[in-house]
Amino acid sequence: MSKPEWSHPIRLEDVPGNGSTLNLSATQEDCARLATRLGVEAVLAVGATVRVVPIRAGRLEITGVVEGQVRQICGASLEEIDSAIREELSVEAVPEDEFNEDAFSSDEVMSDPEAFLDVPDQEPIIDGAVDLAELCTQYFALGIDTNPRHPELERVEYSEDSSPDGKNPFSALAELKRRH
C-alpha cells in the first residue's frame, strides 16, 4: 500500500474511553500531493474537525466535518475556479478482519434500497490504527465538482432560432432520414 498524501493515523489504544476531538490541517506540501491525486489544479486548503469515540471492543465511531478549497479549470471557458468544499463524515471503524468492502453490493442492499441507508460507512482498522487524514481525503474528494463551470459563465441554450441559417447541427441528419 502506498503512503497517503496526507496522513494522521490514530491508534485504537490511544483513544480515551470518553473519546477525543481532533483538528486536522493539511500542509502546503500535503495539498500539492492531494491536488495530483484528486486531479484538480490545486488544493488550496483542507482541514477537518473529527470526533473519535470507542463504541464497542475494537471499534470506533468517527464523525466530523471536512472543509477546504480547490482550484479547478472550467470545462467551458478554461478559466480557473476556486470552490469551497464542506463534507460531513460519519464512519464506523472496524477490525480489518470484520471489514466488508462489498457491503453495498450485497443482494440484500440491492433488493431493498432503503436498507442501504441503514448500513454505516466503514473503515478498516489496520495494524491497530485508522488514518483519519486519509479518511477525510476520501470524503473531501466526494465534494469536488466533476464538471466545474465558472459561475459568471452564461449558459447558452441552443435553439434553431439561435442558428444563422435556422438549422441545428442535426438538421442534416434529419433530412437524410426523411429521404430514406
Side-chain angles (χ1 to χ4, degrees):
M1 179 186 270
S2 63
K3 183 179 183 260
E5 296 77 8
W6 177 33
S7 183
H8 187 99
I10 185 165
R11 300 205 49 80
L12 189 61
E13 66 264 14
D14 293 339
V15 179
N18 61 348
S20 179
T21 300
L22 296 103
N23 292 308
L24 310 177
S25 184
T27 66
Q28 287 182 337
E29 293 81 13
D30 297 333
C31 288
R33 290 189 299 269
L34 286 170
T36 300
R37 173 180 171 182
L38 301 174
V40 296
E41 286 297 302
V43 172
L44 303 173
V46 63
T49 300
V50 180
R51 178 95 178 128
V52 182
V53 179
I55 52 174
R56 294 194 297 271
R59 291 175 177 255
L60 299 170
E61 177 183 63
I62 303 169
T63 57
V65 176
V66 184
E67 295 181 290
Q69 195 168 20
V70 296
R71 176 167 292 147
Q72 296 175 275
I73 301 297
C74 171
S77 70
L78 302 181
E79 293 180 68
E80 291 183 343
I81 308 165
D82 292 349
S83 304
I85 294 176
R86 183 181 194 281
E87 292 289 323
E88 293 185 16
L89 66 93
S90 179
V91 175
E92 183 176 344
V94 300
E96 188 174 13
D97 60 343
E98 295 178 30
F99 177 67
N100 182 3
E101 204 166 342
D102 299 322
F104 296 119
S105 62
S106 71
D107 291 336
E108 290 176 347
V109 174
M110 297 306 285
S111 66
D112 181 9
E114 293 295 317
F116 175 81
L117 300 173
D118 295 332
V119 178
D121 285 347
Q122 289 187 340
E123 184 72 12
I125 298 171
I126 299 173
D127 296 329
V130 175
D131 192 333
L132 297 176
E134 172 58 21
L135 181 61
C136 291
T137 298
Q138 293 169 22
Y139 275 81
F140 185 74
L142 293 174
I144 296 174
D145 187 347
T146 58
N147 187 22
R149 289 183 66 91
H150 195 281
E152 295 174 10
L153 185 66
E154 183 179 325
R155 293 208 182 258
V156 177
E157 298 295 329
Y158 185 83
S159 72
E160 289 187 20
D161 296 336
S162 66
S163 175
D165 61 3
K167 294 183 179 181
N168 70 40
F170 297 103
S171 296
L173 293 174
E175 183 63 32
L176 284 174
K177 186 175 179 182
R178 279 193 287 267
R179 288 185 198 169
H180 289 77

